[in-house]
Amino acid sequence: MTLVYLAVAWVAGIVLARAADLAWQLLPLLGFVAIIALLVWWDERRVRLAALSVLMIGLGAGRLIIAEPRFDENSLASYNGVGWVTLEGVVVGEPDERDNYTNLRVRAERLTLSDGTEREVQGLVLIRTHRYPRRTYGDRLEVAGLLDDPPVYETFSYREYLARQGVYSFMRWGVQVNVLTNDCPRPLLACLFDVKRRAQEVIAQMLPEPQAALLTGILLGIETGIPDELMDAFEATGTSHIIVISGFNITIVSGLFAGLAGRFLQRRRAILLAMAAVAAYTVLVGASAAVVRAALMGVLYLFGRYVGRQSYAPVSLAAAALMMTACNPYTLWDKGFQLSFAATAGLLFYVEPSERLLERALSRLTSADRAQQIVGALSEG
């Protein structure tokens, strides 16, 4: 459970750094006090845990401070609002295809201003353009249009949403997009995207709508094709989580690959194959916060089997939170991250005590075996 406390301290440090706007000069002092306490009272378990927690608070705060964006003349976002520009860059994410448009995530490399001045720039830009002709991952593009800040709507800040993903610039409608070459920086990633598109096409050929769109959402994480009235029905009945890819999908993938590979490979090699399959599936379906959380917990469970140790779900959940926020501390404000972790924590800390309580109550009315069967059926639902 030590890791659980340390992960909570780490997250508290990130929240504190954002809420209180901490100066980085305070963090070395905080770390110095924690290290002195560790050296002096190492044998005292509670003091040691408290000192480690203080150290993690400082490290979490420092991670957020390091992650704060800093713009200079080489940053693409510094030129938001300057007017018509031409930029050259590479598509670094899977194109997000909607009914009437496509969102392209592009890593900018060169910018030409309206007066002909050229700049070497760095930064990600989201480009909204027509769906056809299709662009693919790895395309090197020349794009002309108005460079601006992402919009803020009345009920949703698209600017904050993109900022959590490192995107601070936006180009929409009216842009002119020319494909120069295809660099394909990561062939394996391009292969996964091709598999995903092919799978989507096969599902569309096998099933009518809206069944095809629903299956595509459940298996591949592509929810844009699901009709609004169907999504409204899922939300109204409280079953929209069925569409969202999370732990259930990861469990199926890991179990399927571990079971099949176990017929032909040694147990440890089968587990390694299952771990690779979970990682590939996570990338395939878009690696949202909920999917990454489930994948990390699944991989930790498989790793425990690999080394012959039993995993402890609360520790796995804490480790997943720690790893995700270490990579990107702004993930902490992602709604998918918050809901996924809250739901999983609820299952871990609420369900088992509730089952025991209900079993004891039902045992007074019927046999212990029958009470266990009833509770098992209820909790499974």
Side-chain angles (χ1 to χ4, degrees):
M1 286 292 289
T2 299
L3 185 61
V4 175
Y5 298 125
L6 297 183
V8 171
W10 167 273
V11 170
I14 295 175
V15 174
L16 183 63
R18 184 170 185 180
D21 195 19
L22 291 179
W24 69 267
Q25 292 87 349
L26 295 175
L27 302 183
L29 178 61
L30 198 65
F32 178 76
V33 172
I35 292 173
I36 292 297
L38 285 173
L39 293 175
V40 175
W41 293 288
W42 177 260
D43 294 331
E44 297 290 335
R45 182 181 177 278
R46 292 185 177 180
V47 177
R48 183 172 69 245
L49 181 58
L52 287 172
S53 298
V54 170
L55 185 61
M56 290 299 287
I57 290 174
L59 291 174
R63 181 64 186 93
L64 183 74
I65 292 173
I66 292 173
E68 290 178 350
R70 294 168 178 82
F71 303 121
D72 55 27
E73 62 179 7
N74 294 322
S75 301
L76 179 67
S78 298
Y79 300 94
N80 292 352
V82 298
W84 192 268
V85 300
T86 302
L87 64 84
E88 181 179 326
V90 178
V91 179
V92 293
E94 181 186 15
D96 178 16
E97 295 181 346
R98 306 297 178 95
D99 290 338
N100 301 317
Y101 62 88
T102 296
N103 287 328
L104 302 173
R105 192 160 304 195
V106 175
R107 185 185 64 239
E109 297 175 356
R110 184 177 295 107
L111 179 73
T112 303
L113 301 175
S114 57
D115 61 1
T117 304
E118 291 190 1
R119 304 273 187 181
E120 299 290 331
V121 294
Q122 297 177 343
L124 295 175
V125 55
L126 188 72
I127 297 172
R128 179 166 296 176
T129 184
H130 298 289
R131 182 169 179 178
Y132 298 102
R134 277 180 166 169
R135 287 86 180 181
T136 61
Y137 168 77
D139 281 349
R140 177 171 290 276
L141 306 178
E142 183 182 67
V143 185
L146 294 173
L147 188 68
D148 208 345
D149 295 319
V152 177
Y153 303 111
E154 184 176 348
T155 58
F156 174 67
S157 176
Y158 201 37
R159 184 176 304 171
E160 290 185 10
Y161 170 78
L162 292 177
R164 288 195 294 269
Q165 303 169 43
V167 180
Y168 300 97
S169 300
F170 188 54
M171 297 178 74
R172 74 177 94 186
W173 305 115
V175 297
Q176 302 169 7
V177 180
N178 297 318
V179 179
L180 303 178
T181 60
N182 186 285
D183 294 347
C184 196
R186 298 174 182 171
L188 182 59
L189 192 58
C191 180
L192 284 175
F193 291 153
D194 288 341
V195 169
K196 183 176 182 177
R197 174 171 291 182
R198 177 57 183 159
Q200 186 178 6
E201 292 173 352
V202 170
I203 292 173
Q205 293 170 3
M206 292 172 56
L207 295 174
E209 294 294 350
Q211 289 89 336
L214 181 59
L215 183 60
T216 300
I218 294 174
L219 291 183
L220 304 177
I222 305 174
E223 302 176 14
T224 54
I226 301 176
D228 291 340
E229 57 270 18
L230 184 58
M231 286 296 297
D232 292 341
F234 274 101
E235 292 175 3
T237 55
T239 53
S240 57
H241 60 279
I242 294 174
I243 305 173
V244 178
I245 293 178
S246 59
F248 184 67
N249 305 67
I250 299 299
T251 301
I252 292 175
V253 170
S254 61
L256 179 64
F257 276 86
L260 291 176
R263 297 174 178 266
F264 309 102
L265 302 174
Q266 296 177 351
R267 185 185 69 88
R268 289 166 68 92
R269 292 184 178 179
I271 292 175
L272 289 176
L273 181 60
M275 292 169 68
V278 168
Y281 182 72
T282 301
V283 176
L284 182 73
V285 299
S288 66
V291 179
V292 173
R293 190 275 311 161
L296 287 173
M297 293 187 68
V299 167
L300 289 171
Y301 169 76
L302 291 170
F303 182 74
R305 290 182 56 191
Y306 181 82
V307 298
R309 297 187 62 180
Q310 186 175 2
S311 62
Y312 183 50
V315 173
S316 297
L317 181 65
L322 196 58
M323 287 186 280
M324 291 177 68
T325 52
C327 292
N328 180 6
Y330 290 103
T331 302
L332 196 60
W333 286 272
D334 186 294
K335 293 296 187 295
F337 176 94
Q338 295 171 0
L339 292 172
S340 178
F341 272 83
T344 306
L347 290 172
L348 295 178
F349 299 114
Y350 173 76
V351 171
E352 188 174 350
S354 299
E355 287 178 344
R356 291 198 301 265
L357 182 64
L358 185 57
E359 278 186 27
R360 286 198 298 268
L362 290 176
S363 297
R364 298 174 182 175
L365 304 176
T366 183
S367 65
D369 291 339
R370 178 62 62 85
Q372 189 174 10
Q373 292 176 356
I374 296 172
V375 172
L378 291 173
S379 63
E380 181 66 21

